[in-house]
Amino acid sequence: MDTLITFGIGGLICLFFLVGYLKSLKKKEARAREAVEKGKLFSEGPKAQHPHIDSNYCIGCGTCTSVCPEGDVLAMIAGKAVIVNGHKCIGHGLCADACPVGAITMVMASPSMAADMPHLTPEYETSVPNLFIVGELGGLALIKNAVNQGRDCVDTIAARHKANGAAHPVPGVHDLLVIGAGPAGISASLRAIEHKLNYITIERDEIGGTVAKYPRQKLVMTSPVEFPMYGKFKKMQLSKENLLAFWDMILNRADFNVSTGEKVEDVKRGEDGIFTVATATNQYRARAVILALGKAGEPRKLGVKGEELPKVMYRLIEADHYINKKILVVGGGDSAVEAAMGLASQTGNLVTVSYRSESFSRIKERNAKRIEDFMRSGKLRVLFNSNPVEFKPESAVLDVGGNLQEIPNDFVWIFAGGTPPNAFLKKIGVGFGARDLTLEASKEAKIAAAERNQLAQAAAH
């Protein structure tokens, strides 16, 4: 009898915890289904590199959902991992790394998701022979991808150079010209040094490209990356400052051949196969050209009256340069909310965010949580369903839900995205259209798998 009572009590305890566990699963699934409905608002799905989940192998452990830096990209439904907000995914690949049974591989969006993109071979070559595109302009986001592509692209160029018997040097003709000194361009430049190529890199702004324009302490990498000549960054997370310190170290190299403040206006390939690259002040000749321009291009203007005023800007470099100011931030993406929070953290600033939609729906999970805290604490205010109508020297006029509001204002930052340099690419002969990115996806997945194997082997030793 005592034994039966003991078993009965044990069974009740087990049942209590089982019921609690099943309730928590139900709540998680309910939240996941809410996320699915939210995700339907963006039916275009993933834009580029994203996880493919093989449900036959998924064991429902939920590890992938917990490691994603972007929040609710993945969720557990009916005991399986599924993509619920694909538009948020930017291809970190941490979910694939974390999956204990290998049920996740990183793949590319379907060709319909990549419409109106440059035609590229698996070697990143455009429709113009020996003209290459690397970095996000080619369709893959993330600094890590840009670094890998810059390196691999120069390997291809160096192999061709060698196969041609290291073509006889021609005075004034470089083996390689790199346009852009962001992560992809720097990686390509370092690899060119390794291969002892006669190269030059041109940058219209400053070394570091888009990274140099990020707000202070912005996380720029969330997985290890390996730079030519310098080896692997072993930190899982790197800030803008970490990376720019590395850029500064590179700048001190005597063989890092870069010319800044030069915007490329034209690229022409002659009948002899030699490119002529024209800037406002110089002309360069090269046997091969790598375009590492980035995708943002020129900041997109709103066409609002007063937008030409000096107080209206499109990039925020250092938030702490602005104190005791009345500031308007226009936009609802990650760049806008990060800038707004950075400015709101400075002494005496009154920050207002104007966003045309009714809620922030496309920002990273960590930014969504932070800006909610800022709004709740009164550090900044957000005017949803609003649009700027006019910028005046000492104020800004907004249409808020159909009503005009004029607020005192010292500075305006507009984050409306950028205009990709597609017109420039078409002008220089680069072919465009829908691309089947399966081969690229396979290559990226194989590279990621090889890196994981190397790390595992290194850890074992």
Side-chain angles (χ1 to χ4, degrees):
M1 187 68 179
D2 290 344
T3 304
L4 286 174
I5 293 173
T6 302
F7 277 120
I9 293 172
L12 287 173
I13 292 172
C14 290
L15 183 62
F16 174 78
F17 284 109
L18 179 61
V19 170
Y21 174 69
L22 291 175
K23 280 185 177 178
S24 70
L25 282 183
K26 242 183 176 181
K27 286 181 181 177
K28 283 184 180 178
E29 186 158 328
R31 287 196 297 269
R33 292 191 184 281
E34 286 177 13
V36 169
E37 293 305 311
K38 185 179 175 183
K40 286 178 182 176
L41 296 172
F42 308 98
S43 58
E44 69 269 22
K47 294 293 187 182
Q49 188 173 253
H50 66 282
H52 169 74
I53 304 162
D54 190 331
S55 59
N56 292 322
Y57 291 98
C58 177
I59 59 174
C61 64
T63 305
C64 55
T65 64
S66 64
V67 299
C68 177
E70 307 310 320
D72 56 349
V73 172
L74 301 170
M76 302 302 299
I77 295 182
K80 299 288 184 179
V82 294
I83 298 177
V84 293
N85 280 302
H87 65 280
K88 288 187 178 182
C89 181
I90 59 173
H92 290 286
L94 297 183
C95 53
D97 294 339
C99 180
V101 293
I104 300 177
T105 53
M106 299 306 294
V107 300
M108 294 300 295
S110 65
S112 62
M113 303 301 175
D116 201 30
M117 291 182 63
H119 283 298
L120 296 181
T121 69
E123 291 77 31
Y124 316 114
E125 190 170 17
T126 69
S127 54
V128 180
N130 288 321
L131 178 63
F132 301 81
I133 288 177
V134 295
E136 65 175 348
L137 188 59
L140 282 178
L142 299 183
I143 290 174
K144 180 177 180 179
N145 290 328
V147 171
N148 290 340
Q149 288 181 6
R151 179 194 64 219
D152 296 346
C153 187
V154 175
D155 286 344
T156 298
I157 293 168
R160 292 182 185 181
H161 189 63
K162 185 176 180 180
N164 292 333
H168 186 70
V170 177
V173 176
H174 295 88
D175 298 326
L176 169 64
L177 186 143
V178 181
I179 301 175
I186 289 174
S187 177
S189 303
L190 294 176
R191 196 61 148 191
I193 294 171
E194 283 189 322
H195 283 295
K196 296 181 171 57
L197 295 178
N198 173 20
Y199 85 100
I200 186 169
T201 299
I202 299 172
E203 168 58 49
R204 71 174 183 176
D205 293 318
E206 55 189 314
I207 303 299
T210 306
V211 175
K213 299 178 175 65
Y214 286 157
R216 181 175 291 180
Q217 291 301 321
K218 176 180 171 68
L219 288 179
V220 295
M221 287 196 288
T222 55
S223 59
V225 66
E226 184 169 353
F227 272 91
M229 303 188 76
Y230 287 89
K232 186 181 287 287
F233 280 100
K234 295 182 180 177
K235 287 184 178 179
M236 282 301 291
Q237 293 189 337
L238 285 177
S239 68
K240 164 191 169 179
E241 284 69 27
N242 296 140
L243 204 53
L244 290 183
F246 175 62
W247 290 175
D248 288 338
M249 182 172 65
I250 291 171
L251 278 172
N252 291 324
R253 293 187 62 98
D255 49 5
F256 185 65
N257 189 17
V258 63
S259 177
T260 57
E262 289 202 65
K263 182 179 179 181
V264 173
E265 297 179 344
D266 199 10
V267 178
K268 289 181 179 177
R269 187 174 186 268
E271 293 182 4
D272 57 357
I274 303 296
F275 289 92
T276 299
V277 178
T279 70
T281 54
N282 288 300
Q283 279 200 346
Y284 301 90
R285 302 184 71 211
R287 300 180 190 278
V289 173
I290 294 178
L291 300 175
L293 301 173
K295 197 174 180 181
E298 295 295 327
R300 185 175 284 114
K301 304 293 179 69
L302 298 180
V304 171
K305 184 178 179 181
E307 195 169 356
E308 74 285 349
L309 290 172
K311 75 172 190 177
V312 180
M313 294 170 282
Y314 301 87
R315 291 189 178 100
L316 174 66
I317 308 301
E318 300 293 354
D320 60 359
H321 288 186
Y322 303 90
I323 59 172
N324 300 314
K325 301 297 182 184
K326 299 176 181 66
I327 294 168
L328 174 66
V329 175
V330 181
D334 285 303
S335 296
V337 299
E338 287 170 0
M341 291 186 293
L343 289 163
S345 298
Q346 308 309 312
T347 304
N349 284 344
L350 298 176
V351 179
T352 301
V353 178
S354 169
Y355 185 38
R356 63 184 180 181
S357 297
E358 61 184 16
S359 64
F360 295 118
S361 53
R362 286 178 170 264
I363 60 177
K364 295 181 177 66
E365 190 71 12
R366 59 176 177 266
N367 281 338
K369 290 177 180 177
R370 286 185 63 214
I371 199 163
E372 281 181 13
D373 292 340
F374 272 71
M375 293 164 63
R376 196 179 300 114
S377 66
K379 285 186 177 180
L380 59 76
R381 67 168 177 161
V382 179
L383 298 176
F384 292 112
N385 297 312
S386 68
N387 289 287
V389 174
E390 182 180 357
F391 301 124
K392 299 179 179 180
E394 296 181 356
S395 66
V397 181
L398 303 174
D399 180 334
V400 185
N403 298 313
L404 294 184
Q405 288 188 23
E406 184 167 355
I407 60 174
N409 176 253
D410 298 309
F411 292 103
V412 176
W413 271 273
I414 297 173
F415 295 91
T419 305
N422 290 358
F424 171 75
L425 295 178
K426 291 174 181 177
K427 168 188 165 185
I428 65 177
V430 174
F432 272 69
R435 282 185 11 220
D436 183 351
L437 298 172
T438 305
L439 287 176
E440 294 179 39
S442 174
K443 182 178 179 182
E444 290 293 326
K446 287 176 181 176
I447 290 172
E451 288 178 348
R452 288 197 296 271
N453 289 336
Q454 287 175 1
L455 288 172
Q457 290 172 4
H461 292 303

